[in-house]
Amino acid sequence: MGTGRLYAAVAAGGFRRYATYRTATAAGVFTNTVFGLILAYTYLALWHERPHLGGYDEAQALTYVWVGQALLMTVSVMGGGFEDELVERIRTGDIAIDLYRPADLQLWWLAGDLGRALFHLLARGVLPMVVGAFLFPLALPSRPLVWAAFLAAVTLGAVVSFAIRFLVALTAFWLMDGAGVTQICWITAMFCSGMLLPLNVFPGVLGEIVRALPWASLIQAPADVLLGAADPLAVYARQLAWAVVLLAAGRMLQSAATRRVVVQGG
């Protein structure tokens, strides 16, 4: 099997794996919808007091809410991807088998995580968005090219998310328990991705900092592309830059971890 076909098969396997959890998926759709309703009415009250907060009108703000719910699991803002399994394999020593396989560790997990992301986008993203569009006046684009640009930003956001979580998981080689680092990463992602509030509403220097961090690629960047609030090419450039930097850092940490395993094994 060629390299491309191998990773395509891994991605397809990741999609099928999460598709088997039908009850969990249904519960997740319900949770996303309920949380979306809570946020939507909170945003309505906030935008009633502060119209055009963050440069969004009321319809754009409501759209942002439902985009965030559609992407919550797609880009694993609160975890739920491969990282727990990878940390466990590191803790038990099973990772040594993975490192000696004729497949790249980083690309293997990336392929599987992209398959997971696609499943969650379709299974847990579409229905809450439909409910939101039915109940609220959303500012959804009518041009297919805008939706295509949005999906490209979502894909890059998923890659950036993977790169962050891959780095976090690899710390288990030295910490032996990635729970603490993982929880810190979740909290940071919740605050800095735009999950709770659009990053555009953060004032001054704080706003500039959070919009420059990699977590902005997860929800804020795709939402701005969909809403026409940002130039897609500029968004892609930032997302690609973070993806390259973080994947390269993951590659370096993976090499250091491999040397550690070889030394210990010897």
Side-chain angles (χ1 to χ4, degrees), residues 64-122:
Y64 185 94
V65 168
W66 294 103
V67 169
Q69 292 309 300
L71 298 184
L72 181 61
M73 284 300 296
T74 302
V75 295
S76 290
V77 174
M78 299 177 65
F82 70 95
E83 56 273 20
D84 291 339
E85 182 179 353
L86 180 53
V87 167
E88 181 63 16
R89 292 187 69 80
I90 293 171
R91 190 187 66 79
T92 60
D94 291 340
I95 192 66
I97 300 173
D98 301 338
L99 291 172
Y100 284 109
R101 285 175 179 164
D104 182 80
L105 182 72
Q106 188 182 58
L107 290 178
W108 178 280
W109 289 102
L110 173 58
D113 199 56
L114 289 178
R116 177 208 57 79
L118 177 59
F119 170 78
H120 282 307
L121 180 64
L122 297 175

Side-chain angles (χ1 to χ4, degrees), residues 29-70:
V29 169
F30 177 77
T31 302
N32 285 136
T33 303
V34 171
F35 192 57
L37 289 171
I38 295 171
L39 276 180
Y41 284 110
T42 303
Y43 275 39
L44 281 173
L46 182 58
W47 259 258
H48 178 74
E49 295 295 325
R50 296 284 302 276
H52 300 286
L53 180 63
Y56 295 152
D57 60 26
E58 189 175 277
Q60 289 176 314
L62 289 171
T63 305
Y64 185 94
V65 168
W66 294 103
V67 169
Q69 292 309 300

Side-chain angles (χ1 to χ4, degrees), residues 113-150:
D113 199 56
L114 289 178
R116 177 208 57 79
L118 177 59
F119 170 78
H120 282 307
L121 180 64
L122 297 175
R124 289 187 59 170
V126 173
L127 187 56
M129 179 70 78
V130 170
V131 172
F134 179 76
L135 296 176
F136 302 96
L138 303 187
L140 296 175
S142 58
R143 293 184 299 162
L145 284 178
V146 177
W147 285 101
F150 166 70

